Amino acid sequence: MPSYAKDPRCIAMAEALVPLLRRACPDGASGYGGYYQVNLDDEEAVGLGGVELIRAAMRKAAKQLGWKVTTLGWTGTRHGTMVAVQDTREVPGEFRAVVDEAMNDKVRAALHKVWGEPGPAPVQRGSVPLMTQEFRAAVAQDGT
């Protein structure tokens, strides 16, 4: 697999991603507990350099924030191309409650959707459609 570390597209995409990843962390968690996922059309992902370049950019941006990361990327899913990065650092005790509550909010929102409960989902911040929309705007703005 080629290294994308010095690829100008990867560098530009990573710079565009840093503020998005920072915002993906729960408020009051001092940068811990971040997770970011985008779902793109397969052709759109190829146009941006492919799933491996996008993963590399996410990894590079996350490391700039001090995250210990896990990334994933799949092409051809029912949602198109899925690419995600997660901060896997151990959360210090003083931020644990905030990170746990943010995770509980996401689980409640997912269950709300799965169970088909009426009304809007309890949490919209950090939704994959919103992250995908932000990602598209950021990379379009940076010209990647």
Side-chain angles (χ1 to χ4, degrees):
M1 173 169 43
S3 172
Y4 293 101
K6 295 184 182 188
D7 186 314
R9 298 170 301 168
C10 181
I11 294 167
M13 191 179 294
E15 290 303 317
L17 280 165
V18 168
L20 301 180
L21 298 185
R22 187 176 288 121
R23 273 199 321 262
C25 298
D27 290 335
S30 194
Y32 287 92
Y35 175 81
Y36 202 81
Q37 176 181 331
V38 296
N39 294 350
L40 306 167
D41 296 333
D42 291 339
E43 298 80 25
E44 181 181 14
V46 169
L48 290 170
V51 70
E52 292 304 323
L53 184 131
I54 298 167
R55 280 181 70 192
M58 285 186 170
R59 215 173 11 259
K60 186 175 190 64
K63 287 184 179 189
Q64 288 180 37
L65 295 173
W67 292 13
K68 179 179 174 188
V69 297
T70 294
T71 62
L72 61 88
W74 294 295
T75 302
T77 73
R78 72 176 207 193
H79 300 291
T81 296
M82 295 173 55
V83 187
V85 62
Q86 179 179 10
D87 180 10
T88 60
R89 293 177 295 171
E90 183 66 34
V91 179
E94 64 264 30
F95 306 118
R96 171 59 51 200
V98 172
V99 172
D100 287 348
E101 184 60 29
M103 180 57 70
N104 289 338
D105 288 345
K106 286 183 181 187
V107 169
R108 279 193 293 275
L111 292 174
H112 178 87
K113 184 177 179 179
V114 168
W115 290 336
E117 295 177 7
V123 172
Q124 295 301 314
R125 180 180 180 209
S127 70
V128 174
L130 179 59
M131 288 188 273
T132 301
Q133 184 180 12
E134 291 173 337
F135 173 81
R136 285 180 174 133
V139 297
Q141 191 172 40
D142 272 8
T144 50

